[in-house]
Coordinates of all heavy atoms in Angstrom, one line a residue:
M18 N -4.3 3.6 -1.8 CA -3.2 2.7 -1.2 C -2.4 2.1 -2.2 O -2.5 0.9 -2.5 CB -3.9 1.7 -0.3 CG -4.8 2.2 0.7 SD -3.8 3.0 2.0 CE -5.1 3.5 3.1
P19 N -1.4 2.8 -2.9 CA -0.6 2.2 -3.9 C 0.3 1.2 -3.3 O 0.9 1.5 -2.2 CB 0.2 3.4 -4.5 CG -0.4 4.6 -3.9 CD -1.2 4.3 -2.8
H20 N 0.4 0.1 -4.0 CA 1.4 -1.0 -3.6 C 2.2 -1.3 -4.8 O 1.6 -1.6 -5.9 CB 0.7 -2.2 -3.0 CG 1.7 -3.4 -2.9 ND1 2.6 -3.3 -1.8 CD2 1.9 -4.5 -3.5 CE1 3.4 -4.4 -1.9 NE2 2.9 -5.2 -2.9
V21 N 3.5 -1.3 -4.8 CA 4.4 -1.6 -5.9 C 5.1 -2.9 -5.5 O 5.8 -2.9 -4.4 CB 5.4 -0.4 -6.1 CG1 6.4 -0.8 -7.2 CG2 4.7 0.9 -6.4
D22 N 5.1 -3.8 -6.4 CA 5.7 -5.1 -6.2 C 6.7 -5.2 -7.4 O 6.4 -5.5 -8.5 CB 4.7 -6.2 -6.3 CG 5.3 -7.6 -6.0 OD1 6.5 -7.7 -5.7 OD2 4.5 -8.6 -6.0
I23 N 8.0 -5.0 -7.0 CA 9.1 -5.1 -8.0 C 9.7 -6.5 -8.0 O 10.1 -7.0 -7.0 CB 10.2 -4.1 -7.6 CG1 9.6 -2.7 -7.6 CG2 11.4 -4.2 -8.6 CD1 10.6 -1.7 -6.9
K24 N 9.8 -7.0 -9.2 CA 10.5 -8.3 -9.4 C 11.6 -8.1 -10.3 O 11.5 -7.4 -11.3 CB 9.5 -9.4 -9.9 CG 8.4 -9.7 -9.0 CD 7.5 -10.8 -9.5 CE 6.5 -11.2 -8.5 NZ 5.6 -10.1 -8.1
C25 N 12.8 -8.6 -9.9 CA 14.0 -8.4 -10.8 C 15.0 -9.6 -10.5 O 14.8 -10.3 -9.5 CB 14.6 -7.1 -10.4 SG 15.2 -6.9 -8.7
F26 N 15.9 -9.6 -11.4 CA 17.0 -10.6 -11.1 C 17.8 -10.1 -9.8 O 17.7 -8.9 -9.5 CB 18.0 -10.6 -12.3 CG 17.4 -11.2 -13.6 CD1 18.1 -10.9 -14.7 CD2 16.2 -11.9 -13.6 CE1 17.6 -11.5 -16.0 CE2 15.7 -12.4 -14.8 CZ 16.4 -12.2 -15.9
P27 N 18.4 -11.0 -9.1 CA 19.1 -10.7 -7.9 C 20.1 -9.6 -8.2 O 20.8 -9.6 -9.1 CB 19.7 -12.0 -7.5 CG 18.9 -13.0 -8.0 CD 18.4 -12.5 -9.4
R28 N 20.0 -8.6 -7.2 CA 21.0 -7.5 -7.2 C 21.6 -7.5 -5.8 O 20.9 -7.7 -4.8 CB 20.3 -6.2 -7.5 CG 19.6 -6.1 -8.9 CD 20.7 -6.0 -10.0 NE 20.1 -5.7 -11.2 CZ 19.9 -6.6 -12.2 NH1 20.4 -7.9 -12.1 NH2 19.4 -6.3 -13.4
D29 N 22.8 -7.1 -5.7 CA 23.4 -7.0 -4.4 C 23.2 -5.6 -3.8 O 24.1 -4.8 -3.8 CB 24.9 -7.3 -4.6 CG 25.7 -7.5 -3.3 OD1 24.9 -7.7 -2.2 OD2 26.9 -7.3 -3.3
L30 N 22.0 -5.4 -3.3 CA 21.7 -4.1 -2.7 C 21.8 -4.2 -1.2 O 21.2 -5.2 -0.6 CB 20.2 -3.7 -3.1 CG 20.0 -3.5 -4.6 CD1 18.5 -3.2 -4.8 CD2 20.9 -2.4 -5.2
N31 N 22.4 -3.3 -0.6 CA 22.4 -3.2 0.8 C 21.1 -2.5 1.4 O 20.3 -2.0 0.6 CB 23.6 -2.5 1.4 CG 23.8 -1.1 1.0 OD1 22.8 -0.4 0.9 ND2 25.0 -0.7 0.8
D32 N 20.9 -2.5 2.7 CA 19.7 -2.0 3.2 C 19.5 -0.5 2.9 O 18.4 -0.1 2.6 CB 19.6 -2.2 4.7 CG 19.4 -3.6 5.1 OD1 18.9 -4.4 4.2 OD2 19.6 -4.0 6.3
E33 N 20.6 0.2 2.8 CA 20.5 1.6 2.5 C 20.1 1.8 1.1 O 19.3 2.7 0.8 CB 21.9 2.3 2.7 CG 22.0 3.8 2.5 CD 23.4 4.3 2.8 OE1 23.9 4.1 3.8 OE2 23.9 5.0 1.8
Q34 N 20.6 1.0 0.2 CA 20.2 1.2 -1.2 C 18.7 0.8 -1.4 O 18.0 1.4 -2.2 CB 21.1 0.3 -2.1 CG 22.5 0.8 -2.2 CD 23.4 -0.2 -2.8 OE1 23.4 -1.4 -2.5 NE2 24.2 0.3 -3.7
K35 N 18.2 -0.3 -0.7 CA 16.8 -0.7 -0.8 C 15.9 0.5 -0.2 O 14.9 0.8 -0.8 CB 16.6 -1.9 0.0 CG 17.2 -3.1 -0.6 CD 17.1 -4.4 0.3 CE 17.8 -5.5 -0.3 NZ 17.7 -6.7 0.6
T36 N 16.4 1.1 0.8 CA 15.6 2.2 1.4 C 15.6 3.4 0.4 O 14.5 4.0 0.3 CB 16.2 2.6 2.8 OG1 16.2 1.5 3.7 CG2 15.5 3.8 3.4
A37 N 16.6 3.7 -0.2 CA 16.7 4.8 -1.2 C 15.8 4.4 -2.4 O 15.1 5.4 -2.9 CB 18.1 5.0 -1.7
L38 N 15.8 3.2 -2.8 CA 14.9 2.8 -3.9 C 13.4 3.0 -3.5 O 12.7 3.6 -4.3 CB 15.2 1.3 -4.3 CG 14.3 0.7 -5.3 CD1 14.4 1.4 -6.7 CD2 14.6 -0.8 -5.5
A39 N 13.1 2.5 -2.4 CA 11.7 2.7 -1.9 C 11.3 4.1 -1.7 O 10.2 4.5 -2.1 CB 11.5 1.9 -0.6
A40 N 12.2 4.9 -1.3 CA 11.9 6.4 -1.1 C 11.7 7.0 -2.4 O 10.8 7.9 -2.6 CB 13.1 7.0 -0.3
D41 N 12.5 6.7 -3.4 CA 12.4 7.3 -4.8 C 11.0 6.9 -5.4 O 10.4 7.7 -6.0 CB 13.5 6.9 -5.7 CG 14.8 7.6 -5.3 OD1 14.9 8.5 -4.5 OD2 15.9 7.1 -5.9
I42 N 10.7 5.7 -5.3 CA 9.4 5.2 -5.8 C 8.3 5.8 -5.1 O 7.3 6.2 -5.7 CB 9.4 3.6 -5.7 CG1 10.4 3.0 -6.7 CG2 8.0 3.1 -6.0 CD1 10.6 1.6 -6.5
T43 N 8.4 5.9 -3.8 CA 7.3 6.6 -3.0 C 7.1 8.0 -3.5 O 6.0 8.5 -3.6 CB 7.7 6.5 -1.5 OG1 7.7 5.1 -1.2 CG2 6.6 7.2 -0.7
E44 N 8.3 8.7 -3.7 CA 8.2 10.1 -4.1 C 7.4 10.3 -5.4 O 6.6 11.2 -5.6 CB 9.6 10.7 -4.2 CG 9.7 12.1 -4.7 CD 11.1 12.6 -4.9 OE1 11.9 12.3 -4.0 OE2 11.4 13.2 -5.9
V45 N 7.7 9.4 -6.3 CA 7.0 9.4 -7.7 C 5.5 9.2 -7.5 O 4.7 9.8 -8.1 CB 7.6 8.4 -8.6 CG1 6.8 8.2 -9.9 CG2 9.1 8.9 -9.0
L46 N 5.2 8.2 -6.6 CA 3.7 7.9 -6.4 C 3.0 9.1 -5.8 O 1.9 9.4 -6.1 CB 3.6 6.7 -5.6 CG 4.0 5.4 -6.3 CD1 4.0 4.2 -5.4 CD2 3.2 5.1 -7.5
I47 N 3.7 9.7 -4.8 CA 3.0 10.8 -4.2 C 2.8 12.0 -5.2 O 1.7 12.5 -5.2 CB 4.0 11.3 -3.0 CG1 3.9 10.3 -1.9 CG2 3.5 12.7 -2.5 CD1 5.0 10.6 -0.7
R48 N 3.8 12.1 -6.0 CA 3.6 13.2 -7.0 C 2.6 12.9 -8.0 O 1.8 13.8 -8.4 CB 5.0 13.5 -7.7 CG 5.0 14.7 -8.6 CD 6.4 15.0 -9.2 NE 7.0 14.0 -10.0 CZ 8.0 13.3 -9.7 NH1 8.7 13.5 -8.6 NH2 8.5 12.4 -10.6
H49 N 2.6 11.7 -8.6 CA 1.7 11.4 -9.7 C 0.3 11.0 -9.3 O -0.7 11.1 -10.0 CB 2.3 10.4 -10.6 CG 3.5 10.9 -11.4 ND1 3.3 11.6 -12.6 CD2 4.8 10.9 -11.2 CE1 4.4 12.0 -13.0 NE2 5.4 11.6 -12.2
L50 N 0.2 10.4 -8.1 CA -1.1 9.8 -7.7 C -1.8 10.6 -6.6 O -2.8 10.3 -6.0 CB -1.0 8.3 -7.2 CG -0.5 7.4 -8.3 CD1 -0.5 5.9 -7.8 CD2 -1.5 7.4 -9.5
N51 N -1.0 11.7 -6.2 CA -1.6 12.6 -5.1 C -2.0 11.8 -3.9 O -3.0 11.9 -3.4 CB -2.7 13.4 -5.6 CG -3.1 14.5 -4.7 OD1 -2.2 15.0 -4.0 ND2 -4.4 14.9 -4.6
T52 N -1.0 10.9 -3.5 CA -1.2 10.1 -2.3 C -0.3 10.6 -1.2 O 0.4 11.5 -1.3 CB -1.0 8.6 -2.6 OG1 -1.5 7.8 -1.6 CG2 0.5 8.3 -2.9
K53 N -0.4 9.9 -0.1 CA 0.4 10.2 1.1 C 1.5 9.1 1.3 O 1.3 7.9 1.0 CB -0.4 10.4 2.3 CG -1.4 11.5 2.2 CD -2.2 11.6 3.5 CE -3.2 12.7 3.6 NZ -3.6 13.5 2.6
D54 N 2.6 9.5 1.9 CA 3.7 8.6 2.2 C 3.2 7.4 3.0 O 3.6 6.2 2.7 CB 4.8 9.3 3.0 CG 6.0 8.4 3.3 OD1 6.8 8.2 2.4 OD2 6.0 7.9 4.4
R55 N 2.3 7.6 3.9 CA 1.9 6.5 4.8 C 1.0 5.5 4.1 O 0.7 4.4 4.5 CB 1.1 7.1 6.0 CG -0.2 7.7 5.7 CD -0.9 8.0 7.0 NE -2.3 8.5 6.7 CZ -2.6 9.8 6.6 NH1 -1.7 10.7 6.8 NH2 -3.9 10.1 6.3
S56 N 0.6 5.9 2.9 CA -0.3 5.0 2.1 C 0.4 4.1 1.1 O -0.2 3.2 0.6 CB -1.3 5.9 1.2 OG -2.1 6.7 2.1
V57 N 1.7 4.3 1.0 CA 2.5 3.6 0.0 C 3.2 2.4 0.6 O 3.8 2.5 1.7 CB 3.6 4.5 -0.7 CG1 4.5 3.8 -1.7 CG2 2.9 5.7 -1.4
S58 N 3.2 1.3 -0.1 CA 4.1 0.1 0.3 C 4.8 -0.3 -1.0 O 4.3 -0.2 -2.1 CB 3.2 -1.0 0.9 OG 2.2 -1.4 0.0
V59 N 6.1 -0.8 -0.7 CA 7.0 -1.3 -1.8 C 7.6 -2.6 -1.4 O 8.1 -2.7 -0.3 CB 8.1 -0.2 -2.1 CG1 9.0 -0.7 -3.2 CG2 7.4 1.2 -2.4
A60 N 7.5 -3.5 -2.3 CA 8.1 -4.9 -2.1 C 9.2 -5.1 -3.2 O 9.0 -4.6 -4.3 CB 7.1 -5.9 -2.2
L61 N 10.3 -5.6 -2.8 CA 11.4 -6.0 -3.7 C 11.6 -7.5 -3.7 O 12.1 -8.0 -2.6 CB 12.6 -5.2 -3.4 CG 13.8 -5.5 -4.3 CD1 13.6 -5.1 -5.7 CD2 15.1 -4.8 -3.8
N62 N 11.2 -8.2 -4.7 CA 11.3 -9.7 -4.8 C 12.3 -10.0 -5.8 O 12.1 -9.8 -7.1 CB 9.9 -10.2 -5.1 CG 8.9 -10.0 -4.0 OD1 9.1 -10.4 -2.9 ND2 7.9 -9.2 -4.3
Q63 N 13.4 -10.6 -5.4 CA 14.4 -11.0 -6.4 C 14.2 -12.4 -6.8 O 14.0 -13.3 -6.0 CB 15.8 -10.7 -5.7 CG 15.9 -9.3 -5.3 CD 17.4 -8.9 -4.9 OE1 18.3 -9.3 -5.6 NE2 17.5 -8.2 -3.8
V64 N 14.2 -12.5 -8.1 CA 13.8 -13.8 -8.8 C 15.0 -14.3 -9.6 O 15.6 -13.5 -10.4 CB 12.6 -13.6 -9.8 CG1 12.3 -14.8 -10.5 CG2 11.4 -13.0 -9.0
Q65 N 15.4 -15.5 -9.4 CA 16.5 -16.1 -10.2 C 16.2 -16.0 -11.7 O 15.0 -16.2 -12.1 CB 16.7 -17.5 -9.8 CG 17.2 -17.7 -8.4 CD 18.6 -17.0 -8.1 OE1 19.4 -17.0 -8.9 NE2 18.7 -16.3 -7.0
E66 N 17.2 -15.7 -12.5 CA 17.0 -15.7 -14.0 C 16.3 -16.9 -14.5 O 15.4 -16.8 -15.4 CB 18.3 -15.4 -14.6 CG 18.2 -15.2 -16.1 CD 19.5 -14.7 -16.7 OE1 20.5 -14.5 -16.1 OE2 19.5 -14.5 -18.0
S67 N 16.7 -18.0 -13.9 CA 16.1 -19.3 -14.4 C 14.6 -19.4 -14.1 O 13.9 -20.2 -14.7 CB 16.8 -20.5 -13.8 OG 16.8 -20.4 -12.3
D68 N 14.1 -18.6 -13.2 CA 12.7 -18.6 -12.8 C 11.9 -17.5 -13.5 O 10.7 -17.4 -13.2 CB 12.5 -18.5 -11.3 CG 13.1 -19.7 -10.5 OD1 13.1 -20.9 -11.2 OD2 13.6 -19.5 -9.5
W69 N 12.5 -16.6 -14.2 CA 11.9 -15.5 -14.9 C 10.7 -15.9 -15.7 O 9.7 -15.2 -15.9 CB 12.8 -14.6 -15.6 CG 12.2 -13.3 -15.8 CD1 11.7 -12.8 -17.1 CD2 11.9 -12.3 -14.9 NE1 11.2 -11.6 -17.0 CE2 11.3 -11.2 -15.6 CE3 12.1 -12.1 -13.5 CZ2 10.9 -10.0 -15.0 CZ3 11.7 -10.9 -12.9 CH2 11.1 -9.9 -13.6
Q70 N 10.8 -17.0 -16.4 CA 9.7 -17.5 -17.3 C 8.4 -17.5 -16.6 O 7.4 -17.2 -17.1 CB 10.1 -18.9 -17.9 CG 9.1 -19.3 -18.9 CD 9.1 -18.6 -20.2 OE1 10.2 -18.3 -20.8 NE2 8.0 -18.1 -20.7
Q71 N 8.4 -17.9 -15.3 CA 7.2 -17.9 -14.5 C 6.6 -16.6 -14.3 O 5.4 -16.4 -14.4 CB 7.5 -18.6 -13.1 CG 7.8 -20.1 -13.3 CD 8.1 -20.6 -11.9 OE1 9.1 -20.3 -11.3 NE2 7.3 -21.5 -11.4
V72 N 7.5 -15.6 -14.1 CA 7.0 -14.2 -13.9 C 6.4 -13.8 -15.2 O 5.3 -13.2 -15.2 CB 8.2 -13.3 -13.5 CG1 7.7 -11.8 -13.5 CG2 8.8 -13.7 -12.2
W73 N 7.0 -14.1 -16.3 CA 6.5 -13.7 -17.6 C 5.2 -14.3 -17.8 O 4.2 -13.7 -18.2 CB 7.5 -14.1 -18.7 CG 6.9 -13.8 -20.1 CD1 6.2 -14.7 -20.9 CD2 7.0 -12.6 -20.8 NE1 5.8 -14.1 -22.0 CE2 6.3 -12.8 -22.1 CE3 7.6 -11.4 -20.6 CZ2 6.2 -11.8 -23.0 CZ3 7.5 -10.4 -21.5 CH2 6.8 -10.6 -22.7
D74 N 5.1 -15.6 -17.7 CA 3.9 -16.4 -18.0 C 2.7 -16.0 -17.1 O 1.6 -15.9 -17.5 CB 4.2 -17.9 -17.8 CG 5.1 -18.5 -18.9 OD1 5.2 -17.8 -19.9 OD2 5.6 -19.6 -18.7
N75 N 3.0 -15.8 -15.8 CA 1.9 -15.5 -14.8 C 1.5 -14.0 -14.6 O 0.4 -13.7 -14.2 CB 2.3 -16.1 -13.5 CG 2.4 -17.6 -13.5 OD1 1.7 -18.3 -14.3 ND2 3.4 -18.1 -12.7
E76 N 2.5 -13.1 -14.8 CA 2.2 -11.7 -14.5 C 2.4 -10.7 -15.7 O 1.7 -9.7 -15.7 CB 3.2 -11.3 -13.4 CG 2.9 -12.2 -12.1 CD 3.7 -11.6 -10.9 OE1 3.8 -10.4 -10.8 OE2 4.2 -12.5 -10.2
I77 N 3.3 -11.0 -16.5 CA 3.6 -10.0 -17.6 C 2.7 -10.3 -18.8 O 1.9 -9.5 -19.3 CB 5.1 -10.0 -18.0 CG1 5.9 -9.5 -16.8 CG2 5.3 -9.0 -19.2 CD1 7.4 -9.6 -17.0
A78 N 2.8 -11.5 -19.4 CA 2.1 -11.8 -20.6 C 0.6 -11.7 -20.5 O 0.0 -11.0 -21.4 CB 2.5 -13.2 -21.1
P79 N 0.0 -12.1 -19.4 CA -1.5 -12.0 -19.3 C -2.0 -10.5 -19.2 O -3.1 -10.3 -19.5 CB -1.9 -12.7 -18.0 CG -0.7 -13.6 -17.8 CD 0.5 -12.9 -18.3
Q80 N -1.1 -9.6 -18.8 CA -1.5 -8.2 -18.7 C -0.9 -7.3 -19.7 O -1.0 -6.1 -19.6 CB -1.0 -7.7 -17.3 CG -1.6 -8.4 -16.1 CD -1.1 -7.9 -14.9 OE1 -1.3 -6.7 -14.6 NE2 -0.5 -8.7 -14.0
M81 N -0.4 -7.9 -20.8 CA 0.3 -7.1 -21.8 C -0.6 -6.0 -22.4 O -0.1 -4.9 -22.6 CB 0.7 -8.0 -23.0 CG 1.7 -7.4 -23.9 SD 3.3 -6.9 -23.1 CE 4.1 -8.4 -23.0
A82 N -1.9 -6.2 -22.5 CA -2.7 -5.2 -23.1 C -3.0 -4.1 -22.1 O -3.3 -2.9 -22.6 CB -4.1 -5.8 -23.4
T83 N -2.8 -4.2 -20.8 CA -3.0 -3.2 -19.9 C -1.7 -2.6 -19.3 O -1.9 -1.7 -18.5 CB -3.9 -3.7 -18.8 OG1 -3.3 -4.8 -18.1 CG2 -5.3 -4.1 -19.3
L84 N -0.6 -3.1 -19.6 CA 0.6 -2.6 -19.1 C 0.8 -1.1 -19.6 O 0.6 -0.9 -20.8 CB 1.9 -3.3 -19.5 CG 1.9 -4.8 -18.9 CD1 3.1 -5.5 -19.5 CD2 2.1 -4.7 -17.4
I85 N 1.2 -0.2 -18.7 CA 1.4 1.2 -19.1 C 2.8 1.3 -19.6 O 3.2 2.3 -20.2 CB 1.0 2.2 -18.0 CG1 1.8 2.0 -16.7 CG2 -0.5 2.2 -17.8 CD1 1.6 3.1 -15.7
K86 N 3.7 0.4 -19.3 CA 5.1 0.3 -19.8 C 5.4 -1.1 -20.2 O 5.4 -1.9 -19.3 CB 6.1 0.9 -18.8 CG 7.5 0.6 -19.0 CD 8.1 1.1 -20.4 CE 9.6 1.0 -20.5 NZ 10.0 -0.3 -21.1
K87 N 5.4 -1.4 -21.4 CA 5.6 -2.8 -21.9 C 7.1 -3.0 -22.0 O 7.9 -2.2 -22.3 CB 5.0 -3.0 -23.2 CG 3.5 -2.9 -23.2 CD 2.9 -3.0 -24.5 CE 1.3 -3.0 -24.5 NZ 0.7 -2.1 -23.7
P88 N 7.5 -4.3 -21.7 CA 8.9 -4.6 -21.8 C 9.4 -4.6 -23.3 O 8.6 -4.8 -24.2 CB 9.1 -6.0 -21.2 CG 7.7 -6.6 -21.4 CD 6.7 -5.5 -21.3
G89 N 10.6 -4.4 -23.5 CA 11.2 -4.4 -24.8 C 11.7 -5.8 -25.2 O 12.6 -5.9 -26.1
Y90 N 11.2 -6.8 -24.6 CA 11.7 -8.2 -24.9 C 10.4 -9.1 -24.9 O 9.3 -8.7 -24.5 CB 12.7 -8.7 -23.9 CG 12.1 -8.9 -22.5 CD1 11.5 -10.1 -22.1 CD2 12.0 -7.8 -21.6 CE1 11.0 -10.2 -20.9 CE2 11.5 -8.0 -20.4 CZ 11.0 -9.2 -20.0 OH 10.5 -9.3 -18.7
S91 N 10.5 -10.3 -25.4 CA 9.5 -11.3 -25.3 C 10.1 -12.6 -25.0 O 11.3 -12.8 -25.2 CB 8.7 -11.3 -26.6 OG 9.5 -11.7 -27.7
M92 N 9.2 -13.5 -24.6 CA 9.7 -14.9 -24.2 C 9.0 -15.9 -25.0 O 7.9 -15.7 -25.5 CB 9.6 -15.1 -22.7 CG 10.4 -14.1 -22.0 SD 10.7 -14.4 -20.3 CE 11.9 -15.7 -20.4

């Protein structure tokens, strides 16, 4: 049951673009994790740039050793 929780700075995406993003991510998960479409969920949480430090402190920095793709920046 893969669940992807995307956090990003606000983007002006319409519903069609959000649906396309979720479909692309789902396709990758199906291919790489050998899962089914019905098993995938995707969330898009837009975070103000001024609040990104909290994302870094609570979710990125504590998991740095286990991230399979590390960011190219630090805070």
Side-chain angles (χ1 to χ4, degrees):
M18 301 291 180
H20 173 71
V21 177
D22 186 0
I23 301 168
K24 292 184 178 62
C25 63
F26 293 164
R28 300 290 189 253
D29 190 19
L30 300 176
N31 61 36
D32 287 342
E33 183 178 306
Q34 291 168 315
K35 290 175 186 177
T36 299
L38 174 62
D41 288 349
I42 292 166
T43 299
E44 180 183 315
V45 168
L46 293 173
I47 289 170
R48 185 172 67 245
H49 289 279
L50 298 180
N51 194 29
T52 191
K53 296 180 176 16
D54 181 82
R55 70 174 186 261
S56 300
V57 177
S58 56
V59 179
L61 178 62
N62 297 295
Q63 300 193 44
V64 178
Q65 294 300 318
E66 186 172 355
S67 59
D68 296 330
W69 194 256
Q70 185 70 50
Q71 292 175 297
V72 174
W73 176 268
D74 292 344
N75 296 327
E76 298 184 42
I77 299 171
Q80 297 183 56
M81 194 61 75
T83 60
L84 292 176
I85 59 174
K86 167 56 173 92
K87 293 176 178 43
Y90 66 92
S91 61
M92 298 195 77

